[in-house]
Amino acid sequence: MIRCEGLTKSYEGDGIADLTLSVLPGEALGLLGPGGAGKSLTLRVLMGQIRADAGTAEIAGNDCWKKRREVQKKVAYAPASPVLEEEATGENYLRFVGRFRGGFNPKKARDFAQRLDVGLTGSCRRMSPENRKKLSLLAAFSLDRDVLLLDEPSVGLGSLARSALLDAVASAREAGCAVLMTFHALEEARRFSSHVAIIRKGRLVLNQPVSSLSQTRQKVYHVTFATAQEAARFAAEWEAGVELFGSRAMVAIPASPQVLLKTLARYDVSDLVGGRDEGEEGFLRFYGDDIV
Amino acid sequence: MIPSLFGFRFRQRLLPQLPALLLSMLLGALAVFFYRPEQLAGLQALRQGLPEVFTFLGMEGSPHLAAHTGGLLYGFLMPLAVIFRAASSAHELVARPLADGRAAMYLASGHRRGAILLTLCLLVLLESLFLALASLLGQALSALVFFPGAGLAPLARQGLGFALVVLPFPALASLLAVRAASPRSAWRGSVLILSAFLLFSLFARLPGWTRALRFLTPLTLWKGALLSSGAGGFSDALWALPLTAVFLVLALLSFSRSEL
Protein backbone atom coordinates (compact mmCIF):
# COMPACT_ATOMS: atom_id res chain seq x y z
CA MET A 1 0.00 0.00 0.00
CA ILE A 2 2.78 2.44 1.00
CA ARG A 3 6.11 1.91 -0.76
CA CYS A 4 9.29 3.98 -0.73
CA GLU A 5 12.36 2.86 -2.61
CA GLY A 6 15.65 4.73 -2.54
CA LEU A 7 13.72 7.85 -1.56
CA THR A 8 16.01 10.88 -1.32
CA LYS A 9 15.16 14.50 -0.59
CA SER A 10 17.14 17.46 0.73
CA TYR A 11 14.93 20.09 2.34
CA GLU A 12 15.81 23.15 4.41
CA GLY A 13 18.98 21.66 5.88
CA ASP A 14 17.40 18.29 6.67
CA GLY A 15 16.76 15.42 4.38
CA ILE A 16 16.25 11.75 3.75
CA ALA A 17 18.61 9.55 1.80
CA ASP A 18 18.02 6.24 0.07
CA LEU A 19 15.01 5.42 2.23
CA THR A 20 13.35 2.11 1.47
CA LEU A 21 10.31 0.89 3.35
CA SER A 22 6.85 -0.49 2.81
CA VAL A 23 3.60 -0.73 4.75
CA LEU A 24 1.04 -3.32 3.73
CA PRO A 25 -2.73 -3.12 4.36
CA GLY A 26 -3.41 -3.95 8.00
CA GLU A 27 0.10 -3.00 9.09
CA ALA A 28 1.12 -0.06 11.25
CA LEU A 29 4.68 1.12 10.85
CA GLY A 30 6.15 3.36 13.53
CA LEU A 31 8.88 5.55 12.12
CA LEU A 32 11.17 6.34 15.01
CA GLY A 33 13.93 8.88 15.17
CA PRO A 34 15.22 12.03 16.81
CA GLY A 35 14.14 15.53 15.74
CA GLY A 36 15.46 16.42 12.28
CA ALA A 37 15.91 12.76 11.32
CA GLY A 38 13.59 13.17 8.35
CA LYS A 39 10.42 11.50 9.67
CA SER A 40 7.99 14.35 8.99
CA LEU A 41 9.71 15.04 5.67
CA THR A 42 9.03 11.43 4.66
CA LEU A 43 5.33 11.89 5.41
CA ARG A 44 5.19 15.13 3.45
CA VAL A 45 6.82 13.48 0.44
CA LEU A 46 4.27 10.67 0.73
CA MET A 47 1.47 13.26 0.88
CA GLY A 48 2.69 14.74 -2.39
CA GLN A 49 3.41 18.08 -0.76
CA ILE A 50 7.09 17.92 -1.65
CA ARG A 51 8.75 16.38 -4.67
CA ALA A 52 11.49 13.81 -4.01
CA ASP A 53 14.95 14.42 -5.47
CA ALA A 54 15.41 10.73 -6.27
CA GLY A 55 13.81 7.34 -5.70
CA THR A 56 10.15 6.45 -5.67
CA ALA A 57 7.32 7.01 -3.21
CA GLU A 58 4.05 5.28 -4.01
CA ILE A 59 0.70 4.84 -2.33
CA ALA A 60 -1.64 2.21 -3.77
CA GLY A 61 0.56 2.10 -6.86
CA ASN A 62 0.31 5.84 -7.49
CA ASP A 63 3.41 7.99 -7.60
CA CYS A 64 3.10 10.38 -4.67
CA TRP A 65 4.14 13.43 -6.70
CA LYS A 66 2.94 12.73 -10.24
CA LYS A 67 -0.43 11.39 -9.09
CA ARG A 68 -0.69 13.31 -5.84
CA ARG A 69 -4.35 14.11 -6.22
CA GLU A 70 -5.22 10.39 -6.47
CA VAL A 71 -2.87 9.72 -3.55
CA GLN A 72 -4.38 12.46 -1.39
CA LYS A 73 -7.85 11.05 -1.94
CA LYS A 74 -6.70 7.77 -0.42
CA VAL A 75 -4.86 9.27 2.53
CA ALA A 76 -5.89 10.83 5.82
CA TYR A 77 -3.12 12.92 7.32
CA ALA A 78 -2.66 14.48 10.74
CA PRO A 79 0.38 16.74 11.11
CA ALA A 80 2.49 16.91 14.27
CA SER A 81 1.32 20.45 15.05
CA PRO A 82 -2.44 20.65 14.52
CA VAL A 83 -3.44 23.02 11.74
CA LEU A 84 -6.99 24.15 12.43
CA GLU A 85 -9.27 26.93 11.32
CA GLU A 86 -8.80 29.19 14.31
CA GLU A 87 -12.05 31.15 14.00
CA ALA A 88 -14.22 28.07 13.63
CA THR A 89 -15.72 25.99 16.42
CA GLY A 90 -14.60 22.37 16.63
CA GLU A 91 -17.92 21.23 15.23
CA ASN A 92 -17.78 23.65 12.28
CA TYR A 93 -14.18 22.67 11.59
CA LEU A 94 -15.11 18.98 11.43
CA ARG A 95 -18.07 19.75 9.18
CA PHE A 96 -15.80 21.74 6.89
CA VAL A 97 -13.17 18.97 6.77
CA GLY A 98 -15.87 16.46 5.92
CA ARG A 99 -17.20 18.52 3.01
CA PHE A 100 -13.83 19.71 1.79
CA ARG A 101 -11.92 16.43 1.84
CA GLY A 102 -14.83 14.11 1.15
CA GLY A 103 -15.29 10.57 2.47
CA PHE A 104 -16.45 11.78 5.89
CA ASN A 105 -17.88 8.97 8.01
CA PRO A 106 -20.20 10.49 10.65
CA LYS A 107 -20.45 7.23 12.63
CA LYS A 108 -16.67 6.92 12.90
CA ALA A 109 -16.49 10.58 13.85
CA ARG A 110 -19.09 10.22 16.60
CA ASP A 111 -17.52 7.05 18.03
CA PHE A 112 -13.99 8.43 18.05
CA ALA A 113 -15.13 11.80 19.41
CA GLN A 114 -16.79 10.02 22.33
CA ARG A 115 -13.77 7.86 23.06
CA LEU A 116 -11.37 10.79 22.78
CA ASP A 117 -13.66 12.99 24.86
CA VAL A 118 -12.93 15.91 22.56
CA GLY A 119 -14.62 19.25 23.14
CA LEU A 120 -16.22 20.48 19.94
CA THR A 121 -17.82 23.67 21.21
CA GLY A 122 -15.89 26.93 21.40
CA SER A 123 -13.48 28.29 18.83
CA CYS A 124 -10.36 26.34 17.92
CA ARG A 125 -8.26 29.34 18.93
CA ARG A 126 -9.31 28.94 22.56
CA MET A 127 -8.85 25.18 22.72
CA SER A 128 -6.22 23.60 24.94
CA PRO A 129 -3.23 22.08 23.11
CA GLU A 130 -4.52 18.59 23.95
CA ASN A 131 -7.97 19.34 22.59
CA ARG A 132 -6.45 20.76 19.40
CA LYS A 133 -4.47 17.57 18.97
CA LYS A 134 -7.56 15.46 19.57
CA LEU A 135 -9.53 17.47 17.01
CA SER A 136 -6.79 17.10 14.42
CA LEU A 137 -6.71 13.31 14.97
CA LEU A 138 -10.50 13.15 14.94
CA ALA A 139 -10.54 14.91 11.57
CA ALA A 140 -8.13 12.32 10.17
CA PHE A 141 -9.85 9.26 11.65
CA SER A 142 -13.32 10.43 10.58
CA LEU A 143 -12.48 9.98 6.92
CA ASP A 144 -12.87 6.68 5.10
CA ARG A 145 -9.36 6.21 3.75
CA ASP A 146 -7.03 3.35 2.84
CA VAL A 147 -3.95 4.98 4.31
CA LEU A 148 -3.35 6.92 7.53
CA LEU A 149 -0.29 9.14 7.90
CA LEU A 150 0.02 10.39 11.47
CA ASP A 151 2.89 12.64 12.46
CA GLU A 152 3.65 12.22 16.16
CA PRO A 153 0.04 11.26 16.94
CA SER A 154 0.53 10.56 20.64
CA VAL A 155 2.44 13.71 21.56
CA GLY A 156 0.43 15.97 23.87
CA LEU A 157 -2.29 13.43 24.61
CA GLY A 158 -3.29 12.27 28.08
CA SER A 159 -3.39 8.59 28.97
CA LEU A 160 -7.11 8.17 28.21
CA ALA A 161 -6.77 9.81 24.82
CA ARG A 162 -3.71 7.67 24.06
CA SER A 163 -5.73 4.61 24.86
CA ALA A 164 -8.51 5.80 22.54
CA LEU A 165 -5.94 6.46 19.83
CA LEU A 166 -4.52 2.98 20.28
CA ASP A 167 -8.00 1.52 19.78
CA ALA A 168 -8.56 3.70 16.74
CA VAL A 169 -5.28 2.59 15.14
CA ALA A 170 -6.17 -1.04 15.87
CA SER A 171 -9.63 -0.57 14.31
CA ALA A 172 -8.08 1.06 11.25
CA ARG A 173 -5.69 -1.87 10.85
CA GLU A 174 -8.54 -4.36 11.20
CA ALA A 175 -10.36 -2.49 8.44
CA GLY A 176 -7.34 -3.04 6.17
CA CYS A 177 -5.87 0.41 6.49
CA ALA A 178 -2.11 0.91 6.16
CA VAL A 179 -0.89 3.18 8.94
CA LEU A 180 2.40 5.08 9.01
CA MET A 181 3.18 7.03 12.17
CA THR A 182 6.19 8.90 13.49
CA PHE A 183 7.44 8.80 17.06
CA HIS A 184 10.22 10.15 19.22
CA ALA A 185 9.98 7.44 21.87
CA LEU A 186 10.58 3.75 21.37
CA GLU A 187 7.94 2.74 23.90
CA GLU A 188 5.28 4.69 22.03
CA ALA A 189 6.33 3.22 18.68
CA ARG A 190 6.18 -0.30 20.08
CA ARG A 191 2.79 0.30 21.64
CA PHE A 192 1.09 1.65 18.52
CA SER A 193 2.83 -0.22 15.71
CA SER A 194 3.15 -3.67 14.24
CA HIS A 195 6.55 -2.74 12.76
CA VAL A 196 9.18 -0.26 13.86
CA ALA A 197 11.64 1.50 11.56
CA ILE A 198 14.42 3.67 12.91
CA ILE A 199 15.54 6.61 10.86
CA ARG A 200 18.65 8.56 11.70
CA LYS A 201 20.06 11.54 9.83
CA GLY A 202 17.68 10.70 6.99
CA ARG A 203 18.78 7.10 6.67
CA LEU A 204 16.87 3.99 7.64
CA VAL A 205 18.97 2.02 10.10
CA LEU A 206 16.47 -0.60 11.25
CA ASN A 207 13.11 -1.93 10.08
CA GLN A 208 11.56 -4.95 11.73
CA PRO A 209 8.39 -6.26 13.35
CA VAL A 210 7.80 -5.20 16.92
CA SER A 211 7.67 -8.86 17.94
CA SER A 212 11.26 -9.47 16.83
CA LEU A 213 12.53 -6.13 18.13
CA SER A 214 12.67 -7.40 21.71
CA GLN A 215 14.59 -10.48 20.60
CA THR A 216 17.24 -8.51 18.79
CA ARG A 217 20.64 -8.93 20.35
CA GLN A 218 23.29 -6.53 19.25
CA LYS A 219 27.04 -6.70 19.42
CA VAL A 220 29.32 -3.71 19.47
CA TYR A 221 32.84 -3.78 18.03
CA HIS A 222 35.55 -1.19 18.51
CA VAL A 223 37.78 -1.01 15.45
CA THR A 224 41.00 1.00 15.38
CA PHE A 225 42.24 1.91 11.92
CA ALA A 226 45.74 2.92 10.88
CA THR A 227 44.59 6.45 10.11
CA ALA A 228 41.54 8.67 10.68
CA GLN A 229 41.06 8.85 6.90
CA GLU A 230 40.88 5.08 6.73
CA ALA A 231 38.26 5.13 9.51
CA ALA A 232 36.25 7.77 7.66
CA ARG A 233 36.40 5.71 4.45
CA PHE A 234 35.05 2.72 6.34
CA ALA A 235 32.28 4.78 7.96
CA ALA A 236 31.22 6.06 4.54
CA GLU A 237 30.98 2.50 3.24
CA TRP A 238 29.30 0.99 6.32
CA GLU A 239 26.89 3.94 6.77
CA ALA A 240 24.48 2.61 9.41
CA GLY A 241 25.31 2.02 13.04
CA VAL A 242 28.82 3.38 13.07
CA GLU A 243 30.26 6.12 15.25
CA LEU A 244 33.69 7.64 14.57
CA PHE A 245 36.15 8.80 17.20
CA GLY A 246 39.21 9.86 15.19
CA SER A 247 40.83 6.70 13.86
CA ARG A 248 38.55 4.53 16.01
CA ALA A 249 35.11 3.37 14.95
CA MET A 250 32.37 1.85 17.07
CA VAL A 251 30.18 -0.47 15.06
CA ALA A 252 26.92 -2.09 16.17
CA ILE A 253 25.64 -5.07 14.23
CA PRO A 254 22.58 -7.12 14.91
CA ALA A 255 23.82 -10.53 13.75
CA SER A 256 26.93 -12.48 12.82
CA PRO A 257 30.15 -10.44 12.46
CA GLN A 258 31.04 -12.15 9.17
CA VAL A 259 30.05 -9.22 6.93
CA LEU A 260 31.93 -6.81 9.19
CA LEU A 261 35.05 -8.98 9.14
CA LYS A 262 34.91 -9.34 5.37
CA THR A 263 34.59 -5.58 5.00
CA LEU A 264 37.39 -4.86 7.46
CA ALA A 265 39.68 -7.15 5.48
CA ARG A 266 39.87 -4.44 2.84
CA TYR A 267 41.08 -1.82 5.35
CA ASP A 268 44.25 -1.25 7.32
CA VAL A 269 43.02 -2.27 10.77
CA SER A 270 45.38 -2.08 13.75
CA ASP A 271 43.01 -3.35 16.45
CA LEU A 272 39.62 -4.98 16.85
CA VAL A 273 37.92 -5.37 20.21
CA GLY A 274 34.33 -6.30 20.88
CA GLY A 275 31.56 -8.71 20.53
CA ARG A 276 29.92 -7.35 23.68
CA ASP A 277 26.18 -7.97 23.80
CA GLU A 278 24.07 -4.82 23.96
CA GLY A 279 20.52 -4.80 25.22
CA GLU A 280 17.75 -3.51 23.01
CA GLU A 281 17.76 -0.12 24.65
CA GLY A 282 21.49 0.20 24.26
CA PHE A 283 21.21 -0.70 20.62
CA LEU A 284 18.58 1.92 20.00
CA ARG A 285 20.53 4.51 21.92
CA PHE A 286 23.48 3.76 19.72
CA TYR A 287 21.42 4.02 16.56
CA GLY A 288 19.17 6.83 17.45
CA ASP A 289 20.99 9.11 19.90
CA ASP A 290 17.97 10.48 21.75
CA ILE A 291 15.29 8.05 20.69
CA VAL A 292 14.90 6.23 24.00
CA MET B 1 -13.57 27.08 -7.44
CA ILE B 2 -14.23 24.79 -4.48
CA PRO B 3 -17.72 25.47 -3.04
CA SER B 4 -17.01 23.90 0.38
CA LEU B 5 -13.89 26.03 0.91
CA PHE B 6 -15.58 29.13 -0.48
CA GLY B 7 -18.65 28.74 1.72
CA PHE B 8 -16.67 28.01 4.86
CA ARG B 9 -14.22 30.89 4.47
CA PHE B 10 -17.00 33.25 3.36
CA ARG B 11 -19.00 32.56 6.52
CA GLN B 12 -15.88 32.87 8.66
CA ARG B 13 -15.09 36.27 7.17
CA LEU B 14 -18.56 37.81 7.35
CA LEU B 15 -18.35 39.08 10.92
CA PRO B 16 -14.79 40.51 10.77
CA GLN B 17 -15.80 42.44 7.64
CA LEU B 18 -18.86 44.08 9.15
CA PRO B 19 -17.16 47.14 10.73
CA ALA B 20 -15.44 48.04 7.44
CA LEU B 21 -18.68 47.55 5.50
CA LEU B 22 -20.61 49.73 7.95
CA LEU B 23 -17.91 52.40 7.76
CA SER B 24 -18.08 52.32 3.98
CA MET B 25 -21.87 52.66 4.11
CA LEU B 26 -21.51 55.56 6.51
CA LEU B 27 -19.01 57.28 4.20
CA GLY B 28 -21.42 56.88 1.29
CA ALA B 29 -24.32 58.20 3.36
CA LEU B 30 -22.28 61.17 4.62
CA ALA B 31 -21.15 62.09 1.10
CA VAL B 32 -24.81 62.42 0.08
CA PHE B 33 -25.67 64.18 3.34
CA PHE B 34 -23.05 66.84 2.54
CA TYR B 35 -25.05 67.71 -0.59
CA ARG B 36 -27.65 69.44 1.63
CA PRO B 37 -27.45 73.24 1.10
CA GLU B 38 -26.10 74.15 4.54
CA GLN B 39 -23.38 71.43 4.47
CA LEU B 40 -22.60 72.21 0.85
CA ALA B 41 -22.03 75.87 1.71
CA GLY B 42 -19.61 74.92 4.47
CA LEU B 43 -17.79 72.56 2.14
CA GLN B 44 -17.63 75.26 -0.51
CA ALA B 45 -16.08 77.69 1.97
CA LEU B 46 -13.46 75.09 2.88
CA ARG B 47 -12.75 74.41 -0.78
CA GLN B 48 -12.20 78.10 -1.46
CA GLY B 49 -9.68 78.22 1.36
CA LEU B 50 -7.67 75.21 0.18
CA PRO B 51 -8.40 74.81 -3.54
CA GLU B 52 -5.15 72.89 -4.34
CA VAL B 53 -5.74 70.34 -1.61
CA PHE B 54 -9.29 69.68 -2.77
CA THR B 55 -8.15 69.35 -6.39
CA PHE B 56 -5.35 67.01 -5.30
CA LEU B 57 -7.85 64.81 -3.47
CA GLY B 58 -10.27 64.84 -6.40
CA MET B 59 -12.96 66.67 -4.37
CA GLU B 60 -13.73 69.20 -7.06
CA GLY B 61 -17.33 69.89 -6.14
CA SER B 62 -20.29 69.90 -8.47
CA PRO B 63 -23.88 71.14 -8.63
CA HIS B 64 -24.98 67.56 -9.44
CA LEU B 65 -25.50 65.04 -6.63
CA ALA B 66 -23.69 62.16 -8.32
CA ALA B 67 -20.66 64.22 -9.34
CA HIS B 68 -20.54 65.74 -5.85
CA THR B 69 -20.55 62.36 -4.05
CA GLY B 70 -18.21 60.87 -6.66
CA GLY B 71 -15.70 63.63 -6.01
CA LEU B 72 -15.91 63.25 -2.24
CA LEU B 73 -15.69 59.46 -2.22
CA TYR B 74 -13.88 58.09 -5.24
CA GLY B 75 -11.07 60.61 -5.52
CA PHE B 76 -9.31 59.59 -2.32
CA LEU B 77 -11.35 58.10 0.53
CA MET B 78 -12.75 54.96 -1.10
CA PRO B 79 -9.52 54.07 -2.95
CA LEU B 80 -7.72 54.35 0.40
CA ALA B 81 -10.34 52.15 2.06
CA VAL B 82 -10.05 49.57 -0.73
CA ILE B 83 -6.25 49.53 -0.42
CA PHE B 84 -6.46 48.58 3.24
CA ARG B 85 -9.32 46.15 2.61
CA ALA B 86 -7.42 44.40 -0.20
CA ALA B 87 -4.19 44.19 1.80
CA SER B 88 -6.02 42.92 4.86
CA SER B 89 -8.09 40.36 2.94
CA ALA B 90 -5.07 39.00 1.07
CA HIS B 91 -3.20 38.82 4.37
CA GLU B 92 -5.97 36.85 6.08
CA LEU B 93 -7.12 34.69 3.20
CA VAL B 94 -3.89 33.96 1.33
CA ALA B 95 -0.71 34.92 3.20
CA ARG B 96 -1.67 33.54 6.61
CA PRO B 97 -2.91 30.15 5.39
CA LEU B 98 0.31 29.82 3.39
CA ALA B 99 2.40 30.56 6.47
CA ASP B 100 0.52 28.63 9.16
CA GLY B 101 0.18 25.37 7.23
CA ARG B 102 -3.51 25.63 6.33
CA ALA B 103 -2.66 25.93 2.64
CA ALA B 104 -0.60 22.76 2.89
CA MET B 105 -3.59 21.05 4.50
CA TYR B 106 -5.86 22.33 1.74
CA LEU B 107 -3.43 20.90 -0.79
CA ALA B 108 -3.40 17.57 1.04
CA SER B 109 -7.09 17.20 0.30
CA GLY B 110 -6.80 16.13 -3.32
CA HIS B 111 -8.09 19.39 -4.79
CA ARG B 112 -6.20 21.16 -7.55
CA ARG B 113 -3.72 23.82 -6.49
CA GLY B 114 -5.21 26.31 -8.92
CA ALA B 115 -8.73 25.70 -7.65
CA ILE B 116 -7.66 26.30 -4.05
CA LEU B 117 -5.88 29.57 -4.83
CA LEU B 118 -8.62 30.79 -7.15
CA THR B 119 -11.20 30.18 -4.42
CA LEU B 120 -9.18 32.20 -1.92
CA CYS B 121 -8.45 34.98 -4.45
CA LEU B 122 -12.12 35.15 -5.37
CA LEU B 123 -12.92 35.81 -1.71
CA VAL B 124 -10.25 38.54 -1.59
CA LEU B 125 -11.78 40.15 -4.68
CA LEU B 126 -15.30 39.86 -3.29
CA GLU B 127 -14.38 41.56 -0.03
CA SER B 128 -13.11 44.63 -1.89
CA LEU B 129 -16.13 44.53 -4.16
CA PHE B 130 -18.46 44.40 -1.15
CA LEU B 131 -16.70 47.41 0.36
CA ALA B 132 -17.27 49.41 -2.81
CA LEU B 133 -20.89 48.28 -3.01
CA ALA B 134 -21.50 49.05 0.68
CA SER B 135 -20.60 52.66 -0.03
CA LEU B 136 -23.01 52.66 -2.94
CA LEU B 137 -25.74 51.26 -0.69
CA GLY B 138 -25.05 53.99 1.87
CA GLN B 139 -25.34 56.62 -0.85
CA ALA B 140 -28.59 55.17 -2.14
CA LEU B 141 -30.18 54.99 1.32
CA SER B 142 -29.03 58.49 2.18
CA ALA B 143 -30.32 59.82 -1.14
CA LEU B 144 -33.70 58.19 -0.51
CA VAL B 145 -33.88 59.87 2.89
CA PHE B 146 -32.55 63.34 2.09
CA PHE B 147 -33.33 63.70 -1.64
CA PRO B 148 -36.32 61.46 -2.37
CA GLY B 149 -36.70 62.82 -5.88
CA ALA B 150 -33.10 62.27 -6.92
CA GLY B 151 -32.41 59.54 -9.48
CA LEU B 152 -30.25 56.70 -8.22
CA ALA B 153 -29.00 55.56 -11.62
CA PRO B 154 -26.08 58.05 -11.85
CA LEU B 155 -24.93 57.01 -8.36
CA ALA B 156 -25.20 53.35 -9.32
CA ARG B 157 -23.23 53.79 -12.58
CA GLN B 158 -20.51 55.67 -10.74
CA GLY B 159 -20.30 53.14 -7.94
CA LEU B 160 -20.24 50.14 -10.26
CA GLY B 161 -17.56 51.79 -12.38
CA PHE B 162 -15.46 52.31 -9.27
CA ALA B 163 -16.00 48.69 -8.17
CA LEU B 164 -14.63 47.54 -11.53
CA VAL B 165 -11.66 49.90 -11.48
CA VAL B 166 -10.42 48.80 -8.05
CA LEU B 167 -10.59 45.04 -8.82
CA PRO B 168 -6.88 44.89 -9.77
CA PHE B 169 -6.05 45.97 -6.20
CA PRO B 170 -7.17 42.79 -4.43
CA ALA B 171 -5.78 40.71 -7.31
CA LEU B 172 -2.37 42.35 -6.96
CA ALA B 173 -2.54 41.99 -3.17
CA SER B 174 -3.22 38.26 -3.66
CA LEU B 175 -0.22 37.95 -5.97
CA LEU B 176 2.00 39.70 -3.42
CA ALA B 177 0.62 37.46 -0.65
CA VAL B 178 1.56 34.33 -2.62
CA ARG B 179 5.08 35.61 -3.26
CA ALA B 180 5.78 37.17 0.16
CA ALA B 181 8.12 35.57 2.67
CA SER B 182 5.70 36.18 5.55
CA PRO B 183 2.17 37.49 6.11
CA ARG B 184 3.62 40.68 7.59
CA SER B 185 5.71 41.41 4.52
CA ALA B 186 2.70 40.59 2.33
CA TRP B 187 0.63 43.20 4.13
CA ARG B 188 3.36 45.82 4.03
CA GLY B 189 4.14 45.16 0.37
CA SER B 190 0.47 45.39 -0.61
CA VAL B 191 -0.12 48.63 1.26
CA LEU B 192 3.05 50.20 -0.18
CA ILE B 193 2.45 49.25 -3.80
CA LEU B 194 -1.29 49.96 -3.80
CA SER B 195 -0.69 53.29 -2.05
CA ALA B 196 1.75 54.16 -4.83
CA PHE B 197 -1.10 53.66 -7.32
CA LEU B 198 -3.25 56.03 -5.28
CA LEU B 199 -0.47 58.60 -5.08
CA PHE B 200 0.02 58.43 -8.86
CA SER B 201 -3.67 59.16 -9.34
CA LEU B 202 -3.49 62.11 -6.91
CA PHE B 203 -0.41 63.67 -8.52
CA ALA B 204 -1.85 63.08 -11.97
CA ARG B 205 -4.52 65.70 -11.10
CA LEU B 206 -1.92 68.43 -10.67
CA PRO B 207 -0.85 70.50 -13.66
CA GLY B 208 2.59 69.78 -15.08
CA TRP B 209 4.64 66.68 -15.83
CA THR B 210 2.95 64.66 -13.06
CA ARG B 211 -0.12 64.35 -15.29
CA ALA B 212 1.75 61.58 -17.10
CA LEU B 213 1.46 59.47 -13.92
CA ARG B 214 -2.16 58.77 -14.84
CA PHE B 215 -0.92 56.00 -17.13
CA LEU B 216 0.67 54.17 -14.20
CA THR B 217 -2.44 53.57 -12.13
CA PRO B 218 -5.73 51.79 -12.79
CA LEU B 219 -7.56 54.38 -10.68
CA THR B 220 -7.52 56.87 -13.56
CA LEU B 221 -9.67 54.42 -15.54
CA TRP B 222 -12.57 55.70 -13.42
CA LYS B 223 -14.30 58.49 -15.36
CA GLY B 224 -16.81 59.90 -12.89
CA ALA B 225 -18.33 62.58 -15.08
CA LEU B 226 -18.95 60.18 -17.98
CA LEU B 227 -20.33 57.47 -15.73
CA SER B 228 -22.71 59.70 -13.81
CA SER B 229 -24.02 61.39 -16.96
CA GLY B 230 -24.55 58.05 -18.64
CA ALA B 231 -22.46 59.11 -21.62
CA GLY B 232 -20.03 56.20 -21.21
CA GLY B 233 -17.06 55.47 -19.03
CA PHE B 234 -17.69 51.74 -18.60
CA SER B 235 -15.45 50.88 -21.54
CA ASP B 236 -12.55 52.53 -19.69
CA ALA B 237 -13.43 50.84 -16.42
CA LEU B 238 -13.62 47.45 -18.12
CA TRP B 239 -9.88 47.66 -18.86
CA ALA B 240 -9.40 46.82 -15.19
CA LEU B 241 -10.68 43.29 -15.82
CA PRO B 242 -7.80 42.06 -18.01
CA LEU B 243 -5.39 43.67 -15.56
CA THR B 244 -7.07 41.75 -12.74
CA ALA B 245 -6.82 38.55 -14.76
CA VAL B 246 -3.10 39.10 -15.37
CA PHE B 247 -2.42 39.47 -11.64
CA LEU B 248 -4.45 36.35 -10.87
CA VAL B 249 -2.66 34.29 -13.52
CA LEU B 250 0.70 35.43 -12.13
CA ALA B 251 -0.44 34.45 -8.63
CA LEU B 252 -1.49 31.02 -9.92
CA LEU B 253 1.84 30.49 -11.67
CA SER B 254 3.74 31.50 -8.57
CA PHE B 255 1.62 29.23 -6.36
CA SER B 256 1.98 26.25 -8.69
CA ARG B 257 5.76 26.42 -8.35
CA SER B 258 5.93 26.83 -4.60
CA GLU B 259 6.72 23.97 -2.21
CA LEU B 260 4.61 24.12 0.94
Short mmCIF file of all heavy atoms in Angstrom, two decimals, chain B residues 46 96 144 154 174 214 230 236 250:
data_model
loop_
_atom_site.label_atom_id
_atom_site.label_comp_id
_atom_site.label_asym_id
_atom_site.label_seq_id
_atom_site.Cartn_x
_atom_site.Cartn_y
_atom_site.Cartn_z
N LEU B 46 -14.73 75.82 2.65
CA LEU B 46 -13.46 75.09 2.88
C LEU B 46 -12.67 74.96 1.58
O LEU B 46 -11.45 75.15 1.55
CB LEU B 46 -13.76 73.69 3.40
CG LEU B 46 -13.63 73.43 4.90
CD1 LEU B 46 -14.01 72.00 5.20
CD2 LEU B 46 -12.19 73.68 5.34
N ARG B 96 -1.68 34.28 5.33
CA ARG B 96 -1.67 33.54 6.61
C ARG B 96 -1.86 32.04 6.42
O ARG B 96 -1.12 31.25 7.01
CB ARG B 96 -2.71 34.12 7.58
CG ARG B 96 -2.10 35.24 8.42
CD ARG B 96 -2.97 35.65 9.56
NE ARG B 96 -3.30 34.54 10.44
CZ ARG B 96 -4.35 34.53 11.27
NH1 ARG B 96 -5.15 35.57 11.31
NH2 ARG B 96 -4.59 33.51 12.03
N LEU B 144 -32.26 58.43 -0.68
CA LEU B 144 -33.70 58.19 -0.51
C LEU B 144 -34.26 58.99 0.67
O LEU B 144 -35.40 59.46 0.64
CB LEU B 144 -33.97 56.70 -0.31
CG LEU B 144 -33.85 55.82 -1.56
CD1 LEU B 144 -33.98 54.35 -1.19
CD2 LEU B 144 -34.90 56.20 -2.61
N PRO B 154 -27.45 57.51 -11.72
CA PRO B 154 -26.08 58.05 -11.85
C PRO B 154 -25.16 57.57 -10.72
O PRO B 154 -23.99 57.24 -10.96
CB PRO B 154 -26.29 59.56 -11.78
CG PRO B 154 -27.70 59.78 -12.17
CD PRO B 154 -28.44 58.59 -11.69
N SER B 174 -3.28 39.73 -3.72
CA SER B 174 -3.22 38.26 -3.66
C SER B 174 -1.90 37.75 -4.23
O SER B 174 -1.28 36.85 -3.68
CB SER B 174 -4.38 37.64 -4.44
OG SER B 174 -5.60 38.09 -3.94
N ARG B 214 -0.83 59.40 -14.71
CA ARG B 214 -2.16 58.77 -14.84
C ARG B 214 -2.10 57.44 -15.59
O ARG B 214 -3.00 56.61 -15.46
CB ARG B 214 -3.15 59.73 -15.52
CG ARG B 214 -2.88 60.02 -16.97
CD ARG B 214 -3.88 61.07 -17.47
NE ARG B 214 -3.77 61.32 -18.91
CZ ARG B 214 -2.86 62.11 -19.45
NH1 ARG B 214 -1.98 62.73 -18.68
NH2 ARG B 214 -2.82 62.30 -20.76
N GLY B 230 -24.06 59.14 -17.80
CA GLY B 230 -24.55 58.05 -18.64
C GLY B 230 -24.01 58.10 -20.05
O GLY B 230 -24.45 57.36 -20.92
N ASP B 236 -13.84 52.28 -20.35
CA ASP B 236 -12.55 52.53 -19.69
C ASP B 236 -12.40 51.63 -18.46
O ASP B 236 -11.37 51.01 -18.25
CB ASP B 236 -12.45 53.99 -19.26
CG ASP B 236 -12.33 54.93 -20.45
OD1 ASP B 236 -11.24 55.01 -21.00
OD2 ASP B 236 -13.36 55.55 -20.82
N LEU B 250 -0.65 35.40 -12.71
CA LEU B 250 0.70 35.43 -12.13
C LEU B 250 0.71 34.79 -10.73
O LEU B 250 1.65 34.07 -10.38
CB LEU B 250 1.23 36.87 -12.05
CG LEU B 250 1.59 37.51 -13.39
CD1 LEU B 250 1.97 38.98 -13.19
CD2 LEU B 250 2.73 36.77 -14.07
#
